[in-house]
């Protein structure tokens, strides 16, 4: 079955500066120690990891490249795609709350592979620590001012935020309904306790009621625990039930998720979790929906 990986990354740490991968000490990260991915990861590596898949394309998502030069990453990705045939399209970065957000978005829109923007909004560490209007959050007027410019460029928005901020995300969609929001990494259900998963389900249900949203089923790793179907099947199926199969996409989040599982293990898990849904539904989850949401032309090969 063809696969369009809806969320993956490349980086060349010998040539480019990505502070979180290059600097010491390590930042706090949801998977814990990430020293194993502090190395170059390029199309040759990715093709090795996806060798067992029928790869039809990929969506590169910004990598927290040097924030002083967001367009530099976009230029580098386009050069990489011209040489290597990957990625197929990309989601770039623009600091939406920055005074020059309009100018950066205009520059990013000149690159033909750009389909959307990701700028991680400020997030509270826990549901009871949320601060309405916090600087850099989805309710910050400055951040929203930048967000309002996405539609003029035809950009979607990749949202990475903990599930307890999805009420804000639903309101953002209501206020700017023309901009597609693609929720990253399954809403980050990192708390697997009964209470944690109950909160996650309620937040995902509220967000899914918004009319112009989608979700990537990815980023399901747990620190110190290998990726397994037993740990993740229920979350995969509940996400599909909540959003509907027509609004879900499977993605590797590679190489980040190499910290918790092999790419083949993850995609085999996606297949096994949905094998009773039928070929047409799986085809949409593995490729069709990503092709539609990220406007990938039919026939484009990886």
């Amino acid at each position: 079955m063809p696969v369009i990986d809806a969320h993956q990354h490349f980086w060349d740490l010998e040539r480019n500066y990505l502070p979180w991968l290059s600097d010491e000490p390590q930042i706090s990260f949801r998977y814990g120690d990430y020293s194993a991915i502090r190395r170059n990861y390029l199309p040759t590596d990715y093709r090795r990891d996806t060798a067992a898949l029928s790869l039809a394309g990929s969506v590169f998502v910004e990598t927290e490249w040097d924030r002083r030069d967001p367009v530099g990453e976009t230029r580098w990705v386009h050069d990489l795609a011209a040489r290597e045939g990957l990625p197929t399209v990309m989601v770039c970065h623009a600091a939406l709350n920055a005074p020059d957000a309009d100018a950066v978005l205009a520059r990013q829109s000149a690159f033909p592979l750009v389909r959307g923007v990701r700028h991680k909004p400020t997030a509270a560490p826990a549901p009871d620590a949320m601060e309405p209007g916090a600087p850099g959050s989805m309710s910050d007027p400055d951040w929203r001012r930048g967000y309002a410019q996405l539609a003029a460029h035809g950009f979607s928005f990749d949202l990475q935020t903990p599930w307890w901020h999805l009420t804000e995300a639903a309101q953002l969609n209501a206020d700017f309904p023309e901009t597609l929001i693609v929720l990253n990494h399954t809403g980050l259900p990192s708390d697997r306790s009964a209470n944690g998963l109950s909160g996650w389900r309620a937040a995902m249900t509220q967000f899914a009621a918004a009319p112009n949203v989608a979700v990537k089923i990815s980023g399901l790793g747990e620190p110190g625990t290998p990726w397994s179907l037993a740990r993740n099947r229920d979350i995969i199926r509940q996400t599909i039930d909540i959003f509907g199969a027509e609004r879900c996409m499977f993605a590797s989040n590679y190489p980040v998720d190499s910290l918790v599982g092999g790419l083949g293990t993850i995609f085999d898990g996606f297949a096994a979790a949905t094998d009773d849904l039928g070929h047409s539904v799986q085809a949409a989850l593995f490729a069709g929906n990503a092709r539609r949401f990220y406007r990938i032309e039919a026939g484009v090969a990886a």
Side-chain angles (χ1 to χ4, degrees):
M1 182 174 295
V3 170
I4 295 178
D5 187 351
H7 193 114
Q8 57 87 205
H9 309 287
F10 296 125
W11 48 66
D12 184 342
L13 302 182
E14 295 170 8
R15 295 176 179 269
N16 304 315
Y17 177 46
L18 281 65
W20 75 287
L21 291 170
S22 303
D23 293 352
E24 296 288 354
Q26 290 189 19
I27 63 170
S28 177
F29 188 62
R30 70 181 184 278
Y31 291 163
D33 180 10
Y34 57 91
S35 347
I37 60 170
R38 300 175 77 180
R39 55 177 176 80
N40 292 352
Y41 192 80
L42 294 165
T44 299
D45 306 297
Y46 182 64
R47 284 193 164 101
R48 178 197 63 231
D49 289 335
T50 58
L53 304 182
S54 179
L55 187 68
S58 77
V59 180
F60 172 98
V61 178
E62 64 90 19
T63 61
E64 302 196 27
W65 175 288
D66 185 352
R67 291 314 196 203
R68 297 168 297 182
D69 183 26
V71 179
E73 179 171 46
T74 307
R75 186 178 300 110
W76 178 77
V77 167
H78 279 70
D79 290 344
L80 189 69
R83 293 194 312 271
E84 302 285 351
L86 283 170
T88 313
V89 296
M90 73 174 292
V91 173
C92 69
H93 178 265
L96 299 178
N97 57 335
D100 65 346
D102 291 2
V104 172
L105 290 170
R107 292 173 65 197
Q108 299 282 34
S109 70
F111 290 87
L113 301 186
V114 174
R115 296 294 185 267
V117 169
R118 181 171 77 165
H119 177 208
K120 297 175 184 176
T122 299
D128 59 0
M130 292 177 60
E131 178 187 344
S137 71
M138 284 182 277
S139 54
D140 172 9
D142 289 336
W143 194 93
R144 289 166 65 88
R145 192 174 299 113
Y147 186 89
Q149 304 305 312
L150 297 178
H153 300 289
F155 287 157
S156 59
F157 181 69
D158 263 50
L159 171 63
Q160 184 162 330
T161 195
W163 56 259
W164 49 86
H165 283 282
L166 292 182
T167 297
E168 285 181 285
Q171 186 60 54
L172 190 69
N173 183 259
D175 293 340
F176 304 98
E178 66 277 23
T179 299
L180 168 69
I181 299 176
V182 180
L183 181 64
N184 291 185
H185 304 331
T186 335
L188 298 175
S190 54
D191 179 357
R192 299 297 180 92
S193 69
N195 285 341
L197 289 176
S198 175
W200 169 80
R201 280 191 298 272
M204 293 283 276
T205 300
Q206 180 183 13
F207 179 64
N212 198 17
V213 302
V215 61
K216 297 179 191 181
I217 299 177
S218 59
L220 292 175
E222 302 169 84
T225 302
W227 201 105
S228 71
L229 180 61
R231 293 290 300 172
N232 293 312
R233 184 187 187 281
D234 286 351
I235 289 174
I236 293 167
R237 290 304 293 261
Q238 288 170 25
T239 301
I240 294 169
D241 289 345
I242 290 167
F243 282 81
E246 71 281 359
R247 294 195 294 171
C248 297
M249 297 170 271
F250 288 144
S252 71
N253 193 33
Y254 248 57
V256 177
D257 275 29
S258 66
L259 294 169
V260 293
L263 192 147
T265 297
I266 293 169
F267 272 85
D268 284 349
F270 292 155
T274 57
D275 61 0
D276 62 322
L277 297 181
H279 183 273
S280 63
V281 170
Q282 285 191 312
L285 293 167
F286 279 101
N289 294 339
R291 188 179 296 281
R292 175 165 50 93
F293 286 124
Y294 286 108
R295 306 186 303 283
I296 298 172
E297 294 181 10
V300 172

